[in-house]
Amino acid sequence: MEVLRPQLIRIDGRNYRKNPIQEQTYQREEDEEDFYQGSMECADEPCDAYEVEQTPQGFRSTVRAPSLLYKHIVGKRGDTRKKIEMETKTSISIPKPGQDGEIVITGQHRNGVISARTRIDVLLDTFRRKQPFTHFLSFFLNEVEVQEGFLRFQEEVLAKCSMDHGVDSSIFQNPKKLHLTIGMLVLLSEEEIQQTCEMLQQCKEEFINDISGGKPLEVEMAGIEYMNDDPGMVDVLYAKVHMKDGSNRLQELVDRVLERFQASGLIVKEWNSVKLHATVMNTLFRKDPNAEGRYNLYTPDGKYIFKERESFDGRNILKLFENFYFGSLKLNSIHISQRFTVDSFGNYASCGQIDFS
């Protein structure tokens, strides 16, 4: 990281510099893990962005955070908390591991409380970003017509292209799990799941009803495309999804949902628009039928996991099935889908949803 061009972290509408920190790896049990060594400095002067309560003893501010992240505020042997307390002249009370509650910051000086709060927020944001995705917003695409179309596609591809390098039955999606992803989420508590449900409901009331007209969106799943730039070395092949009436309403709807969730901080901003696609072939399935694409490549500590994968030659598939028609369906619900789970229908388990009609 360049000293003059540090990473910026946005918290509560304000930008903060993230200065370089020194990290060390220790061989120890998970409950002793601490990855914060050194200091986290904030570039801004103390401001009025936080609610700070004046008490007879001084000043007080609280932070709500999932218990899974408490250990990163405490640090190894409590070093991180002690360092923040010493440098900001505050006292920080953190609930015990596994217990939900509030982190409470108290101190004699308002600026010190705000400074400690800022550092804690930066730490929480940093380590939240290192958590693997737990949920995702999605449309289910597993209606009977589309599942049958997918199975026909698989059968024809294997009949005509099985001699092509890397093409076999193991790399096809489970038809019951066909879906369209709007955005990936890190939800670490029931409270955050409920917050996501409420945000979806707000989206419905503020713009989804207007875009959908209070009716399901009639779409078609037709045509195929690949993710990378070499059709002879493909890892992900997907089907395209579009409105039957040729309008842009589906794209507009998912983009506005994405924008709203990015603005709230529930989804980390990576793209400005949703790529409407349904994965039908993925080489990660070859060794792990439950693999979930690129979102499966990081540990809870943010360390990259190398996933060996054998690409396939997709040139004949793209030529023969470029406009393959999988079927039509009505999109009537956005789901909060939980990764690595299965419901009674074989799809991802849903933790909540909104319906258009």
Side-chain angles (χ1 to χ4, degrees), residues 170-171 282-291 308-310:
S170 69
I171 62 175
N282 188 330
T283 56
L284 284 180
F285 298 154
R286 197 187 305 279
K287 292 186 177 181
D288 181 5
N290 296 314
E308 183 179 356
R309 55 200 298 175
E310 177 190 353

Side-chain angles (χ1 to χ4, degrees), residues 40-53:
M40 176 71 68
E41 299 295 341
C42 150
D44 280 2
E45 291 296 322
C47 60
D48 295 325
Y50 302 125
E51 290 187 11
V52 178
E53 173 190 0

Side-chain angles (χ1 to χ4, degrees), residues 245-297:
D245 63 9
S247 72
N248 198 43
R249 287 189 297 150
L250 176 59
Q251 187 70 61
E252 179 187 358
L253 188 151
V254 296
D255 283 350
R256 290 189 65 178
V257 170
L258 178 68
E259 181 182 18
R260 177 60 59 85
F261 272 79
Q262 288 175 336
S264 72
L266 286 169
I267 290 180
V268 176
K269 186 169 184 178
E270 294 182 88
W271 301 281
N272 294 322
S273 181
V274 176
K275 188 178 184 67
L276 296 172
H277 73 284
T279 298
V280 293
M281 298 173 71
N282 188 330
T283 56
L284 284 180
F285 298 154
R286 197 187 305 279
K287 292 186 177 181
D288 181 5
N290 296 314
E292 298 181 9
R294 71 180 191 89
Y295 305 113
N296 204 28
L297 299 179

Side-chain angles (χ1 to χ4, degrees), residues 123-140:
L123 282 170
L124 291 172
D125 180 80
T126 298
F127 287 101
R128 174 180 286 277
R129 289 171 183 265
K130 292 187 176 184
Q131 301 301 310
F133 294 115
T134 59
H135 299 74
F136 57 99
L137 299 178
S138 71
F139 288 104
F140 291 170

Side-chain angles (χ1 to χ4, degrees), residues 134-136 193 292 336-342 348-351:
T134 59
H135 299 74
F136 57 99
I193 293 174
E292 298 181 9
I336 304 169
S337 300
Q338 185 173 353
R339 299 182 69 206
F340 309 116
T341 61
V342 179
Y348 293 99
S350 178
C351 300

